[in-house]
Amino acid sequence: MLAAVLFDLDGTIVNTDPIHYQAWQQMLADYNIEIDEKFYKSRISGRLNPEIVKDILPQLSSAEGQKFADDKEALFRELASHLQPLSGFAELLAWTETHQLKRALVTNAPRLNVEFVLEVLGIKEAFHTVILAEDCTAGKPDPVPYQVALNKLKINAENAIALEDSPSGIRAAVAAGIPTIGIASTHDPQILQTVGAFMAIPDFTDLQLWTFLNSLIISQRSIVNSQ
């Protein structure tokens, strides 16, 4: 029985990756480091800032690395004032309301970014719980954030669906035992399925998604009616 839908934020609800990419390009240019999209997807996308900074700028002290990450996120927020959710997101949100499903946001994004993006999109009240990696013992690709979300919602993994755009996010949700749909806004759909997504779609208007969701509801009604 489907009881909840768990959403990632960046790249899933809203395609912020082009803005993050631009911000990383500008910040790393100060260190004479040029990055392309391949570098961004393999070394940055889906990872936590401390890991990224330690990997790319190992010469920085912990305090310097934290300042760099804070400055990068401040630049992101300067550049991201006109965000729009992925196509079909509003309809999916309404569908979960209609069928009385719980909703959780599970993200590696820093708190200030999360608050900023939810405010810009007008969905601050859309989720029953918001799980930030910085509040957990580990971030994605560790399953801990998703396990925390399941506990907060008081549901089992098999009664949820996760929506994720990055390999690290998909690995986290799958490791938590949650059936996961890949949102191919930033990564190749085949890559998302290779790391564990049972379906990969470009956005929330995809017919494959709605066929699947509505089939779940029909199955649940049949079970209830037969009892």
Side-chain angles (χ1 to χ4, degrees), residues 16 19-25 27-28 40 44 49 52-53 66-79 110 113:
T16 54
I19 304 171
H20 280 295
Y21 175 45
Q22 182 182 351
W24 279 106
Q25 278 186 315
M27 292 295 297
L28 290 172
Y40 176 80
I44 296 176
N49 279 345
I52 299 168
V53 175
Q66 183 61 58
K67 184 179 185 308
F68 177 92
D70 289 345
D71 289 346
K72 179 265 159 183
E73 299 307 342
L75 176 58
F76 162 78
R77 292 190 294 274
E78 287 180 21
L79 298 170
N113 283 13

Side-chain angles (χ1 to χ4, degrees), residues 53-72:
V53 175
K54 187 175 181 180
D55 176 26
I56 301 174
L57 299 169
Q59 73 273 27
L60 298 185
S61 67
S62 178
E64 290 170 337
Q66 183 61 58
K67 184 179 185 308
F68 177 92
D70 289 345
D71 289 346
K72 179 265 159 183

Side-chain angles (χ1 to χ4, degrees), residues 1-6 92 95-96 99-102 155-163 178-179 181 198 209 212-221 223:
M1 300 287 283
L2 182 62
V5 179
L6 282 54
L92 179 57
W95 183 87
T96 63
H99 298 289
Q100 300 180 319
L101 302 178
K102 295 179 180 178
I155 61 171
N156 296 321
E158 60 267 24
N159 300 126
I161 291 172
L163 298 162
I178 305 169
I181 297 173
F198 71 87
L209 170 69
F212 170 73
L213 292 177
N214 289 322
S215 70
L216 286 182
I217 298 301
I218 291 170
S219 296
Q220 290 180 186
R221 286 175 179 165
I223 292 171

